[in-house]
Amino acid sequence: MNFTRLLAPVCAALVCVYSAAAQSTQATQTTLAPLPVPARTLPVPNDVSPEMQKIIAAPRKPGWNDQWSTGEQWRAVADKQAAQVVQTLPAMRQRLHVTVKPDTINGVRVFVVTPDVIPPQHQKQLLLHVHGGCYELFPGESGTSEAILMAGLGHYKVISVDYRMPPEAYFPGALDDAMTVYQAALKTAGAKHVAVFGTSAGGALTLEMMLRAKQLGLPMPAAIAPGTPMSDLTKTGDSFYTNELVDNILVSRNGSCHAAAMVYAHGHDLKDPLLSPVYGDMHGLPPAILTTGTRHLLLSNTVRVHRKLRQAGIDAQLEVFEGTSHAQYQFDDRVPETHEAFAEITAFFDKYLAR
Amino acid sequence: MNFTRLLAPVCAALVCVYSAAAQSTQATQTTLAPLPVPARTLPVPNDVSPEMQKIIAAPRKPGWNDQWSTGEQWRAVADKQAAQVVQTLPAMRQRLHVTVKPDTINGVRVFVVTPDVIPPQHQKQLLLHVHGGCYELFPGESGTSEAILMAGLGHYKVISVDYRMPPEAYFPGALDDAMTVYQAALKTAGAKHVAVFGTSAGGALTLEMMLRAKQLGLPMPAAIAPGTPMSDLTKTGDSFYTNELVDNILVSRNGSCHAAAMVYAHGHDLKDPLLSPVYGDMHGLPPAILTTGTRHLLLSNTVRVHRKLRQAGIDAQLEVFEGTSHAQYQFDDRVPETHEAFAEITAFFDKYLAR
C-alpha cells in the first residue's frame, strides 16, 4: 500500500473540502465562536541552550511596528540596517572559514560564498540562496549571512542572489532576478547538483521559484530548504493569532514585515501563488526540508506548506525548534541550535543532490 | 558527508550545553526576563476542514481542571466517561469495517481489532496500540477508538492493550502490561513485522516501551508512531505556557490530565525516562513518526522528542496539523485531517515494516 494511493482519495476530498471552506468562510466565522485567552507571562524556556535562551529572552525587536509605505522609505531603513549588519560579517566569515565575493550573473547582482574547504562529495554541487527581509531588507552584502552559515557549516559553494528590491523593482522583480540566476545554475551545475534555500521572504521566494520554474517548464533542482516561509500574505494562518506578541521578532502580522511585503506586492493579488506560495499546486516540486519554531508567527504557514507538499506526494521534512521565534535557528553561528538546523539541511541535501 | 558525522560534534556540544542549562536553571530564570503577553481572542482558523473547524471551535473541555487525587476517584470518573464512549463505538466500527474482540495475552487484557479486509502486504504485520488518557482514562473497550481508526484506515490487524490503571495498578503497571504484550508479539509476529503506536499518555508509553525494551535487551519493533507524546511530566516545555488556555482539550499543564498522571506516578521520580521519556537515551530506537498540532499544549514536548530522536540519528518524521489542540487529529473518523494523519502513519509503517 503506497502513500500516494492511500492519500489520493483523501486529497481529492480535501480539495473539495477546502474549496467549500473558502466559500463559506464568512458564514463560518459568524457561527463559530472565537476563543478568548487571558493575559499571561511566558518564562524563558530552560530546555534550549543558554545561547538560545538569550535570543528568546530579548525584548520585542525595536521597529517591529514601523509601517513605511513607499519603496524609498524602506530603502532608507534597509540601508541603515545593512550598514550595521555588514560590520558583523567579517568576524563571522573568519569563524566559519568562508570567503565572499560580489559578482553579476546575466546582469543580476550576486555574492559568491565559498568555504575554504569543499569536500569531494560537494565539489559539483551548487546552492542558491535567496535572503529574507520581507522583500525589502538586507540589500547587498548584508543579505549574505545565511549563505555564510550554509557554506561554512555545510561546506558548499553558495551563490546568494542580491535581488532588486523596492524602489529599484517591485513584484515580480525579486523573483525574476532569482530565476535568472537559477537558469544560469541549471546550465553551469545542472539541476541534479543544485539546491535552493532561504528563510522568511527567502523561504517564500524559494517556493515561488519552484512554482515559476514549473510554469516555464524548467527542471526542478534536486532539493529545496524553505526556512519558515512567509507563504501567505493574506491574514490566514492560525499562528498569526496564537503567536501574536509571543514571537519577539516579527511580533505581529499587522507589523512592519507585512507593511514591507505590501510595498513589494505593489497592488498585485495577494493570493497569487507567486506571492503566497501556500496556494500553489505543489505537485512536481522537489524534496523539501522546512524549519521553524514553536513561538513562530509563521509556524502555521510553515506547517501548511509542509502538509500541502505531503499531500502532493513530496518527501517533505519538517523541523520545529523549541521555544524559538522568527528565523532564530539562523541568527548566530555560535548557537548550538544553529549548527543543528544546518546539519539537518546538509543531511537532507546530501540525500538528494547528485555528487 | 553523512548526517551522523555532521551532527556528532554538535550533539556532543549539546549534551554539555543541556547539562549546563539544567544546572543553571534557577540562576537563568532569575536573570532572563519573562515575556508578558496581553489577552487576545483567537478566531477559528478557516484553513482547516469545516469538520475540524467545529472541533477547534468547541468550548474548553468540561472537567479539564478536575483534580482528583486517588486511584479510586479516577476510576469512578473513567468508568462514567467510558460508558459514554462505548456507545459511539459500534457505529464507528461499522463505518470503518472493523471487528473488535476482547482477549487476554499472558494474563494481560487486550482487544483484538481486525479490519474486514487485510491486504496481502499487511498480512504478516501486527500493530500494538497503547491508548491515551493520562494513565487513568479509557479503560476496557473505551480505549479502542484509536486502534479502530488505525485498523480501519490503514488496514492492519491491531492489538490494543487494556493495561491496568489505578487503583488496580500504579507505575509501572501500565508499562509492564504493554511489555508483556510486546514480548508476545515479538514471538508470534517477529520484531520486523511489529509497530507500536498510541497518543498522549499512549505516545509516552510507546516511547517508554522502547526504552524498557533496550533495558531488557529485547529487539526493537520495525517502527513506532508516538502521537503527541506526554513526554515530560515535569513542567518543562514552552507550549505548556504559550498554549495554556489555547488548547481546548488539555487546556493547562496544571489541569486534570497532570493530576491523573501524578496518581499513576505514585510518588516516583518524574524525571525517570519511564515516566518522562524525553529524558531517555534515544540511541537505537526504531524509526518514528510523531503527530501533533499548532495549538497543542504538548507541541513542545513532541518537537523535543523529535529533535532528540534526530540527534540520535533516528529517522523521525514530524507532522504538525494546523490549528489543532490535543490529539484532535484522531477525534473523529469522518474528519479529513484524521484520514490524512493516519495515511501518513500508514505510509511510514509501510516503509519500515517487513512484508
Side-chain angles (χ1 to χ4, degrees):
Chain A
M1 184 155 305
N2 70 41
F3 180 73
T4 312
R5 192 143 50 91
L6 252 176
L7 203 53
V10 178
C11 291
L14 282 173
V15 167
C16 304
V17 158
Y18 283 125
S19 305
Q23 284 160 15
S24 67
T25 296
Q26 290 302 89
T28 304
Q29 289 187 335
T30 53
T31 51
L32 294 178
L35 180 68
V37 178
R40 84 273 311 279
T41 298
L42 307 176
V44 175
N46 59 17
D47 53 2
V48 300
S49 72
E51 295 89 336
M52 187 60 90
Q53 288 183 330
K54 285 181 195 155
I55 289 174
I56 295 171
R60 292 182 185 112
K61 194 182 172 188
W64 69 263
N65 203 21
D66 288 348
Q67 308 266 345
W68 310 108
S69 58
T70 71
E72 288 75 11
Q73 288 169 326
W74 275 108
R75 172 48 59 110
V77 171
D79 285 344
K80 192 174 164 194
Q81 191 190 70
Q84 296 173 325
V85 170
V86 293
Q87 287 176 16
T88 68
L89 296 180
M92 182 184 170
R93 291 194 295 261
Q94 196 168 26
R95 284 193 301 270
L96 292 172
H97 306 285
V98 165
T99 308
V100 176
K101 287 193 175 150
D103 200 350
T104 60
I105 293 178
N106 295 340
V108 174
R109 293 184 301 267
V110 300
F111 289 87
V112 181
V113 185
T114 314
D116 290 354
V117 178
I118 299 180
Q121 70 272 22
H122 287 180
Q123 287 186 357
K124 290 184 184 169
Q125 300 176 351
L126 178 61
L127 308 192
L128 297 192
H129 172 242
V130 273
H131 68 78
C134 321
Y135 298 101
E136 300 283 355
L137 301 173
F138 304 116
E141 194 190 323
S142 76
T144 60
S145 68
E146 190 181 24
I148 295 168
L149 283 171
M150 191 75 240
L153 298 175
H155 308 289
Y156 297 96
K157 178 178 171 181
V158 179
I159 292 180
S160 182
V161 185
D162 181 20
Y163 52 79
R164 288 166 298 153
M165 296 192 289
E168 192 180 3
Y170 295 81
F171 173 85
L175 179 57
D176 286 346
D177 286 358
M179 291 307 294
T180 297
V181 178
Y182 179 62
Q183 288 185 267
L186 291 178
K187 284 185 189 150
T188 56
K192 67 182 181 178
H193 295 115
V194 171
V196 182
F197 72 101
T199 286
S200 187
L205 275 165
T206 299
L207 294 162
E208 292 156 12
M209 286 171 70
M210 300 305 110
L211 298 171
R212 186 79 182 114
K214 275 208 324 187
Q215 289 178 345
L216 298 173
L218 297 173
M220 289 289 136
I224 56 174
T228 197
M230 197 175 177
S231 68
D232 194 335
L233 293 185
T234 77
K235 196 171 177 174
T236 304
D238 195 44
S239 61
F240 280 143
Y241 301 90
T242 55
N243 281 337
E244 186 168 44
L245 295 163
V246 171
D247 182 322
N248 63 344
I249 302 299
L250 288 183
V251 184
S252 169
R253 154 60 169 71
N254 302 325
S256 177
C257 196
H258 185 71
M262 286 307 90
V263 171
Y264 168 68
H266 216 222
H268 196 81
D269 177 12
L270 300 183
K271 273 220 164 184
D272 185 330
L274 298 184
L275 275 173
S276 293
V278 74
Y279 298 109
D281 173 7
M282 302 293 181
H283 289 90
L285 260 63
I289 176 167
L290 299 105
T291 311
T292 188
T294 62
R295 285 196 183 188
H296 204 300
L297 199 69
L298 300 180
L299 172 65
S300 286
N301 285 338
T302 304
V303 309
R304 288 169 72 210
V305 168
H306 181 244
R307 292 247 50 78
K308 284 208 68 174
L309 288 165
R310 295 293 300 150
Q311 287 164 12
I314 312 297
D315 182 4
Q317 183 174 321
L318 177 66
E319 306 294 331
V320 182
F321 281 84
E322 163 71 339
T324 59
S325 297
H326 187 62
Q328 290 176 334
Y329 64 85
Q330 50 105 66
F331 267 26
D332 191 323
D333 60 287
R334 293 158 294 189
V335 172
E337 285 86 347
T338 305
H339 286 248
E340 201 177 344
F342 282 85
E344 286 282 11
I345 295 170
T346 301
F348 194 81
F349 285 173
D350 279 348
K351 189 171 159 188
Y352 284 108
L353 271 67
R355 295 185 174 191
Chain B
M1 186 157 306
N2 70 42
F3 180 73
T4 312
R5 192 142 50 90
L6 253 175
L7 203 55
V10 179
C11 291
L14 282 172
V15 168
C16 304
V17 159
Y18 283 126
S19 305
Q23 285 162 12
S24 68
T25 296
Q26 289 302 89
T28 304
Q29 288 187 336
T30 53
T31 52
L32 295 177
L35 180 70
V37 178
R40 85 275 310 277
T41 297
L42 306 176
V44 176
N46 59 16
D47 53 2
V48 301
S49 72
E51 296 89 335
M52 188 58 91
Q53 288 183 331
K54 284 180 196 155
I55 290 174
I56 294 172
R60 292 183 185 110
K61 193 181 173 189
W64 69 263
N65 203 19
D66 288 348
Q67 307 267 346
W68 310 107
S69 58
T70 71
E72 289 75 11
Q73 288 170 325
W74 275 107
R75 173 47 59 111
V77 171
D79 284 345
K80 192 174 166 193
Q81 190 190 70
Q84 297 173 324
V85 170
V86 295
Q87 288 176 16
T88 69
L89 295 180
M92 181 182 170
R93 291 193 296 261
Q94 198 167 25
R95 285 194 301 270
L96 292 172
H97 307 285
V98 165
T99 308
V100 175
K101 287 193 176 152
D103 201 349
T104 59
I105 293 178
N106 295 340
V108 174
R109 296 184 300 267
V110 300
F111 289 86
V112 181
V113 185
T114 314
D116 290 355
V117 178
I118 299 180
Q121 70 272 24
H122 287 179
Q123 287 186 358
K124 289 184 184 169
Q125 300 175 352
L126 178 62
L127 308 192
L128 297 192
H129 172 241
V130 272
H131 68 78
C134 322
Y135 299 101
E136 300 283 354
L137 301 172
F138 303 116
E141 194 189 324
S142 75
T144 61
S145 69
E146 189 181 25
I148 294 167
L149 283 171
M150 191 76 241
L153 298 175
H155 308 288
Y156 296 96
K157 178 178 172 182
V158 179
I159 293 181
S160 183
V161 185
D162 180 22
Y163 51 79
R164 289 166 297 154
M165 295 191 290
E168 192 181 4
Y170 296 82
F171 173 85
L175 179 58
D176 286 346
D177 285 0
M179 291 307 295
T180 297
V181 178
Y182 179 62
Q183 288 185 268
L186 290 179
K187 283 185 189 150
T188 57
K192 66 183 181 178
H193 295 114
V194 172
V196 182
F197 72 101
T199 286
S200 189
L205 274 164
T206 299
L207 294 163
E208 292 156 12
M209 286 170 71
M210 300 306 111
L211 298 171
R212 186 81 181 113
K214 276 207 325 187
Q215 289 178 345
L216 297 173
L218 296 173
M220 288 290 135
I224 56 174
T228 197
M230 197 175 178
S231 67
D232 193 336
L233 293 184
T234 77
K235 196 172 178 173
T236 304
D238 195 45
S239 61
F240 280 143
Y241 301 90
T242 55
N243 281 338
E244 187 167 45
L245 295 162
V246 171
D247 181 321
N248 64 343
I249 302 301
L250 287 183
V251 185
S252 169
R253 153 60 169 71
N254 302 324
S256 178
C257 195
H258 184 72
M262 286 307 91
V263 170
Y264 169 68
H266 215 224
H268 196 81
D269 177 12
L270 300 182
K271 274 221 163 181
D272 185 331
L274 299 182
L275 276 172
S276 293
V278 75
Y279 298 109
D281 173 8
M282 303 292 181
H283 289 89
L285 258 63
I289 177 168
L290 298 107
T291 312
T292 187
T294 63
R295 286 196 184 190
H296 204 301
L297 199 69
L298 300 181
L299 171 64
S300 286
N301 285 338
T302 304
V303 308
R304 288 169 71 209
V305 168
H306 181 245
R307 292 246 52 79
K308 284 206 68 172
L309 288 165
R310 295 294 299 150
Q311 289 164 11
I314 312 298
D315 183 3
Q317 182 174 322
L318 177 67
E319 306 294 331
V320 182
F321 280 83
E322 164 71 340
T324 58
S325 297
H326 188 63
Q328 289 176 332
Y329 63 86
Q330 51 105 65
F331 267 26
D332 191 323
D333 60 287
R334 293 158 294 189
V335 172
E337 286 86 346
T338 306
H339 286 247
E340 199 177 345
F342 282 85
E344 286 282 12
I345 296 170
T346 301
F348 193 82
F349 285 172
D350 278 350
K351 190 170 158 190
Y352 284 108
L353 270 70
R355 296 188 171 187

